[in-house]
Amino acid sequence: MFAVVDCDNFYVECERVFAPALRRRPVVVLSNNDGCVISRSAEAKALGIGMGAPLFQVRDVVSEQGVRVFSSNYALYGDMSGRVMQTLASLSPEVEVYSIDEAFVRFDAAGRKGKPLDHAHAVRERIRRWTGVPVSIGLGPTKTLAKVAVRLAKRSGAESVYSLDGGAATEEALANLAVGEVWGIGRKRARVLHDAGIETALGLSRADGRWLRRRLSIVTLRTAYELRGVSCLPLECCPRPKRSITTSRSFGRPVETLPEIQEALAYFVTKAAEKLRRARLAARVLHVFLMTNRFEPETFYAGAATVPLSVPTDLTPELIGHARGAAARAFREGCQYRKAGVMLLDLVDARPAQAGLFDDRDRERARRVVRAVDEINARLGEGAVRFGAAGGAGRPWRTRCESRSPRYTTCWRELLTLNT
């Protein structure tokens, strides 16, 4: 059996772990710059607050109903996700981390005897006790059926565990699931299937395989087989190497000058380069982009510039220099920029690469510098040492996070304080 372990309202529940008084109260978490709702408690959903709703549109409900609002706290959420996944790894040797709040697990690899449902309840209780995060678990003979099951688990109330192992119950679940809601079937594929009269997951499972492969793809054919109970998608326990790394943010206020844009991009490059080095990769291409408010089409402008790198690099100072030059090419005077970002592309192994003929940089010295910066920041906290081009913590372009909770698990200065 495959299992999908999906954290319930993950960002909200991370906040509740450290503030138990929030339980049974409506809570929402906002996106960057405190813009839109990206996580809701069950109580907030009951008030009609929709996923992705801009905060200004629901402000009346928030104030009238006493909804508690939090800014995104990704340091906390990332660390709590790691704790959940480590707990899962202690229960099964085969775990595929699918996203920050979701993982696939092979239950028959767990070395446990007994019924899969009993084991699922034990897993759910272990995660709750060790991390405080509630999860829903869906079981099935394939990964796709397990994804269907976890949808039903989230609707099953207090049990939060559901199994689809064939028979009439599975057919009924597939008959009640729109084909566009099946894992791996996007809007384009769903339109093609609708045009062919295939409206539900059950219809897809019974569709002609040759037609699916010819009209759509082998991926859709595999999905159909998975819905029939034939496993085609193995667990990917070893994560694939990253193909790109992107760091972007919306600004706390409109930015109009090139120096501020360059400073912001230097900060984004610093974050992206740290991820690059953790993955032991180097970039061959750097791409920067800038954009104004996309909701003002009459004045909208999106600029971009790409820099091919003669030697793959993971060195922050070198990448900052390229980003500043690219920003100057993409920048247009008179625009009010609301967002910018940097992408590191064509990633390769970071082992020493052949230098260019006219490359006179002392890369080994620069590598020792960035390694020292990484070690100091790991020991003393993020930003203890930073590159001057990236500016300080109080820059006005920094993302707004006026209601962010403390980083309880990753910052010594923000540890939880107990009053006894």
Side-chain angles (χ1 to χ4, degrees), residues 12 29 31-32 38-39 49 107 128 135 148 209-210 242 244 249 251 301 323 375:
V12 165
V29 175
S31 62
N32 289 334
I38 59 172
S39 184
I49 299 176
F107 268 19
R128 187 195 66 79
V135 301
V148 176
R210 288 174 296 180
K242 292 179 179 292
S244 64
R249 298 285 190 278
F251 296 134
Y301 168 71
E375 291 175 356

Side-chain angles (χ1 to χ4, degrees), residues 149-169:
V150 82
R151 293 170 61 93
L152 298 173
K154 287 182 173 291
R155 302 172 186 170
S156 65
E159 291 298 318
S160 295
V161 175
Y162 201 92
S163 177
L164 290 177
D165 55 1

Side-chain angles (χ1 to χ4, degrees), residues 21-152:
L22 295 176
R23 301 197 183 280
R24 293 181 291 278
R25 282 190 57 185
V27 181
V28 298
V29 175
L30 303 178
S31 62
N32 289 334
N33 267 328
D34 296 345
C36 301
V37 175
I38 59 172
S39 184
R40 306 162 294 162
S41 66
E43 296 80 5
K45 295 174 186 177
L47 294 176
I49 299 176
M51 178 64 83
L55 178 61
F56 73 87
Q57 290 185 358
V58 297
R59 197 173 292 280
D60 290 343
V61 176
V62 166
S63 59
E64 292 171 4
Q65 301 296 329
V67 179
R68 185 67 187 274
V69 177
F70 287 93
S71 303
S72 299
N73 189 346
Y74 295 118
L76 175 64
Y77 308 152
D79 185 71
M80 292 298 292
S81 172
R83 293 168 187 246
V84 171
M85 301 309 168
Q86 287 171 7
T87 304
L88 277 176
S90 72
L91 296 168
S92 173
E94 293 190 47
V95 178
E96 176 189 338
V97 178
Y98 186 66
S99 67
I100 191 173
D101 63 347
E102 190 174 7
F104 289 98
V105 182
R106 272 284 287 272
F107 268 19
D108 56 356
R112 303 273 183 170
K113 295 182 179 180
K115 297 180 180 179
L117 275 175
D118 294 338
H119 184 41
H121 283 291
V123 168
R124 184 171 182 270
E125 177 61 16
R126 173 76 69 86
I127 294 173
R128 187 195 66 79
R129 291 187 65 185
W130 284 19
T131 70
V133 177
V135 301
S136 296
I137 301 178
L139 301 169
T142 70
K143 291 171 74 174
T144 305
L145 284 175
K147 288 285 286 186
V148 176
V150 82
R151 293 170 61 93
L152 298 173

Side-chain angles (χ1 to χ4, degrees), residues 161 175 225 247 350 358 400:
V161 175
Y225 273 111
T247 302
F358 302 105
R400 289 196 305 271

Side-chain angles (χ1 to χ4, degrees), residues 129-281:
R129 291 187 65 185
W130 284 19
T131 70
V133 177
V135 301
S136 296
I137 301 178
L139 301 169
T142 70
K143 291 171 74 174
T144 305
L145 284 175
K147 288 285 286 186
V148 176
V150 82
R151 293 170 61 93
L152 298 173
K154 287 182 173 291
R155 302 172 186 170
S156 65
E159 291 298 318
S160 295
V161 175
Y162 201 92
S163 177
L164 290 177
D165 55 1
T170 299
E171 286 201 2
E172 181 182 357
L174 298 182
N176 292 325
L177 180 64
V179 71
E181 300 297 322
V182 176
W183 180 51
I185 303 294
R187 283 179 292 181
K188 291 183 179 179
R189 289 191 179 118
R191 282 198 295 268
V192 174
L193 293 169
H194 285 156
D195 292 342
I198 300 173
E199 303 285 342
T200 66
L202 184 62
L204 175 58
S205 71
R206 294 174 174 175
D208 180 71
R210 288 174 296 180
W211 180 86
L212 287 173
R213 182 167 184 172
R214 183 179 67 253
R215 186 67 181 83
L216 290 164
S217 66
I218 187 67
V219 174
T220 309
L221 177 59
R222 287 173 182 154
T223 299
Y225 273 111
E226 288 257 319
L227 291 172
R228 297 173 193 173
V230 180
S231 180
C232 302
L233 303 173
L235 288 186
E236 297 180 4
C237 298
C238 297
R240 297 178 180 179
K242 292 179 179 292
R243 297 181 179 179
S244 64
I245 292 177
T246 302
T247 302
S248 64
R249 298 285 190 278
S250 297
F251 296 134
R253 61 157 178 78
V255 174
E256 301 180 11
T257 67
L258 178 59
E260 281 188 297
I261 288 288
Q262 291 175 322
E263 186 178 76
L265 286 172
Y267 174 74
F268 300 154
V269 165
T270 300
K271 306 300 292 182
E274 289 173 358
K275 298 176 184 177
L276 200 63
R277 291 191 290 274
R278 282 199 297 269
R280 298 182 181 179
L281 297 171

